[in-house]
Amino acid sequence: LRAFTSSRNNSFHAREHQQQELCVQVVHHKPKMTADTKKPRYYPAEDVKAPRKKHVVVKQNPPKLRKSISPGTILIILAGRFRGKRVVFLKALESGLLLVTGPFKINGVPLRRVNQSYVIATSTTIDVSGVNTKDFDDKYFARTKEEKAASEEEEFFKGDAPKPAVVSDKRKKDQKTVDGELLKKIAAVEMLEGYLAALFTLSSKDKPHEMKF
């Protein structure tokens, strides 16, 4: 019995000695803390703001013009206050928007910008080479800060009541100049004036995917 007890104690002490050696090895191989890996002793205060990343504005290229749209193409507007109206495409602006006109004397559509996603290009075209569009760009249609502030103030006091559109004398003069050249070309084509004046509509039995515009 004494021999069994002594052998058991010896094996227990041997195992304990092995475990101590392993612990010493683990502690010995533990990586040292450096200035880069050492955690800070205190947390930063709440009022310390992190530096903001510099916001870089990437200039996007304007969308490409559809192959079916070229200067002089008759377009059908699908959205907005002039939806269903046929207009004459004059040129593409730097923003990718399309410069169109009714002409105003025929269907009441003035010089304006439209997105090519909301128009249907027809197979009808007219010659617009005589129309001077050099002065028309995106800045021409931009409103000033004074105009925006005045319109917002009027909307606040008038509510939902409709307000008349205010058109400058320069806009009226430019509209007459552009329409004057277009009306000559339109008058030379039979039934084109009536085609531009007619409103585009669809009935329940119409199939637009089978139509040829």
Side-chain angles (χ1 to χ4, degrees):
L1 181 62
R2 288 180 180 178
F4 175 77
T5 305
S6 62
S7 63
R8 187 175 181 183
N9 290 335
N10 292 335
S11 62
F12 175 77
H13 288 301
R15 264 189 269 117
E16 187 177 2
H17 182 67
Q18 290 178 356
Q19 290 178 357
Q20 289 178 357
E21 288 182 351
L22 290 173
C23 291
V24 170
Q25 291 177 1
V26 171
V27 172
H28 178 72
H29 292 290
K30 186 176 180 181
K32 294 182 179 180
M33 299 294 289
T34 61
D36 297 332
T37 59
K38 190 176 181 181
K39 294 182 179 180
R41 189 174 180 182
Y42 301 103
Y43 289 102
E46 294 182 357
D47 56 348
V48 177
K49 295 183 180 180
R52 292 185 178 182
K53 294 182 179 180
K54 188 176 181 181
H55 181 67
V56 180
V57 179
V58 180
K59 186 178 180 181
Q60 296 181 349
N61 296 325
K64 293 182 179 179
L65 193 64
R66 299 206 309 252
K67 293 181 180 179
S68 57
I69 301 176
S70 60
T73 303
I74 306 299
L75 307 176
I76 301 173
I77 300 178
L78 301 177
R81 56 180 295 197
F82 297 109
R83 60 182 177 273
K85 296 290 185 85
R86 293 178 173 90
V87 294
V88 180
F89 168 62
L90 299 177
K91 72 171 184 178
L93 303 175
E94 291 183 1
S95 61
L97 300 177
L98 310 180
L99 176 65
V100 300
T101 184
F104 182 79
K105 189 175 181 180
I106 294 178
N107 53 23
V109 181
L111 282 164
R112 63 186 290 106
R113 298 175 296 175
V114 296
N115 194 317
Q116 62 176 331
S117 301
Y118 302 106
V119 298
I120 296 176
T122 66
S123 56
T124 307
T125 59
I126 62 173
D127 183 18
V128 295
S129 58
V131 181
N132 185 13
T133 59
K134 293 181 180 179
D135 297 334
F136 303 113
D137 53 9
D138 293 304
K139 294 181 181 179
Y140 179 85
F141 296 94
R143 293 192 303 171
T144 61
K145 293 183 179 180
E146 291 77 9
E147 291 177 349
K148 290 182 180 179
S151 63
E152 291 176 358
E153 187 176 355
E154 289 178 2
E155 288 179 359
F156 177 78
F157 288 106
K158 291 185 178 180
D160 297 333
K163 58 178 182 179
V166 179
V167 183
S168 63
D169 295 336
K170 186 178 184 306
R171 283 279 190 96
K172 294 177 181 179
K173 183 180 178 181
D174 294 339
Q175 185 71 56
K176 289 181 179 179
T177 304
V178 173
D179 287 359
E181 294 292 334
L182 287 176
L183 290 173
K184 295 177 185 178
K185 302 294 183 181
I186 294 171
V189 182
E190 187 179 0
M191 299 179 66
L192 183 57
E193 184 176 349
Y195 175 72
L196 291 171
L199 190 68
F200 174 76
T201 56
L202 290 173
S203 64
S204 58
K205 295 182 180 180
D206 292 333
K207 299 178 180 179
H209 61 281
E210 295 181 356
M211 293 182 178
K212 184 179 179 182
F213 295 97

